[in-house]
Amino acid sequence: MKRRPLIAGNWKMHKTVAETLAYIEAFKPLVAGVEDRDIMLAPPFTALDAAQRALEGSPVALGAQNCHWEEEGAFTGEISARMLSDIGVSYVIIGHSERRHLFRETDEMIRKKIAAVLRHDLIPILCIGETLEEREAGKTLSVLERQLKEGLKDFSARDLKNLVVAYEPVWAIGTGKTATPEQAEEAHAFCRRILAEMFGADFAETVRILYGGSVKPENIVGLMARPDIDGALVGGASLKPDVFARIVCFGRMK
Ligand code: 13P
């Protein structure tokens, strides 16, 4: 089965509103007419509303980088899925390794966040990935299995029909060290087998599994050539519109 590619940019804690608007103005013409793949940008919370207005009518979807699992309440500093849905967000990145490691997010918190995202008909991008220490100890696959099983155990295939998974090996994030296409494919194929075990083979065949970790215009083609790599979650290289557009447009004749 051919899954529709998704190329997503995660800006992390970068860009003011003015910088976001300048980016979008430059980016939109570079990806105009790209219809055979999905494109998503995830600016910081403060720029989401302005980005939504600026992206109106373009093929670029809007994503958020995190959310809280409650609808509202006394959670100072948090943003709910309900608030994100209200301003036109479509995707929410959940369980990014920076959230897991720097902010101590657990698999249980991640599961609750996915439930909140689904309640509002938003698309969760569940991030998973091993640290260097775990890889060197031969634990990569068991870490991925635990993160998938714990993160998704409350849900049915129907609940998760739009689920996106992002495999982001922690040692490849922001380090310039990309997993080789072989390493990434091994992890992606394994994740698809676990999803098939949990929710059935038909479901697993439809789930898009993105690779993230030092994706650049120079390595996107090799990654996307692998059968189980369905797109990319791009950090640093999504911050410049021309560079990100080259990643988005991989494999197209110019
Ligand atoms: P880099 O592309 O900067 O390595 O970041 C990857 C990432 O964490 C995307 O979510």
Side-chain angles (χ1 to χ4, degrees):
M1 188 203 135
K2 194 86 194 82
R3 290 169 291 267
R4 188 174 162 86
L6 168 60
I7 308 295
N10 172 13
W11 286 0
K12 310 190 180 184
M13 197 171 74
H14 292 279
K15 298 197 189 291
T16 63
V17 170
E19 289 162 353
T20 298
L21 293 176
Y23 181 110
I24 291 173
E25 198 177 319
F27 184 63
K28 276 203 298 195
L30 299 176
V31 297
V34 176
E35 281 161 8
D36 57 346
R37 57 201 71 182
D38 291 334
I39 310 167
M40 184 275 261
L41 280 177
F45 288 129
T46 47
L48 282 173
D49 187 46
Q52 202 279 330
R53 290 162 209 262
L55 289 172
E56 201 118 56
S58 86
V60 184
L62 191 63
Q65 300 173 18
N66 181 27
C67 73
H68 194 267
W69 55 85
E70 294 291 343
E71 300 291 296
E72 59 183 19
F75 301 98
T76 300
E78 294 292 326
I79 304 281
S80 70
R82 176 168 177 261
M83 295 166 178
L84 297 174
S85 159
D86 179 50
I87 57 163
V89 164
S90 308
Y91 293 85
V92 188
I93 298 169
I94 299 291
H96 191 278
S97 70
E98 286 146 23
R99 302 291 324 164
R100 292 179 189 260
H101 297 287
L102 302 174
F103 300 99
R104 303 266 184 276
E105 281 191 15
T106 63
D107 289 315
E108 192 195 350
M109 290 157 78
I110 287 162
R111 191 159 71 235
K112 291 199 289 189
K113 291 180 179 208
I114 292 174
V117 166
L118 296 175
R119 278 199 300 278
H120 291 280
D121 290 325
L122 304 175
I123 301 173
I125 302 182
L126 169 62
C127 299
I128 59 176
E130 81 288 359
T131 62
L132 184 59
E133 199 185 0
E134 288 163 341
R135 174 163 281 265
E136 286 175 347
K139 293 184 184 155
T140 298
L141 301 184
S142 63
V143 168
L144 299 180
E145 180 169 0
R146 191 206 78 230
Q147 290 175 335
L148 283 174
K149 289 194 167 162
E150 289 300 311
L152 299 175
K153 74 180 175 195
D154 289 346
F155 308 107
S156 68
R158 222 172 121 189
D159 296 333
L160 296 171
K161 62 179 188 306
N162 294 320
L163 173 73
V164 177
V165 172
Y167 169 60
E168 299 204 307
V170 178
W171 48 271
I173 295 179
T175 57
K177 264 195 236 163
T178 328
T180 62
E182 293 72 27
Q183 286 171 320
E185 173 61 22
E186 183 196 16
H188 284 224
F190 175 78
C191 291
R192 208 175 297 286
R193 285 201 297 279
I194 296 295
L195 292 168
E197 212 180 273
M198 293 176 76
F199 302 107
D202 289 351
F203 172 84
E205 275 305 300
T206 66
V207 176
R208 291 184 289 186
I209 307 180
L210 314 183
Y211 169 77
S214 300
V215 174
K216 306 184 259 283
E218 294 71 29
N219 57 28
I220 184 70
V221 174
L223 289 161
M224 291 302 294
R226 299 292 156 151
D228 287 292
I229 302 180
D230 307 313
L233 185 53
V234 185
S238 74
L239 291 172
K240 292 210 172 108
D242 54 327
V243 177
F244 188 48
R246 282 168 62 205
I247 298 175
V248 166
C249 296
F250 76 90
R252 284 172 64 93
M253 304 295 284
K254 271 282 168 186

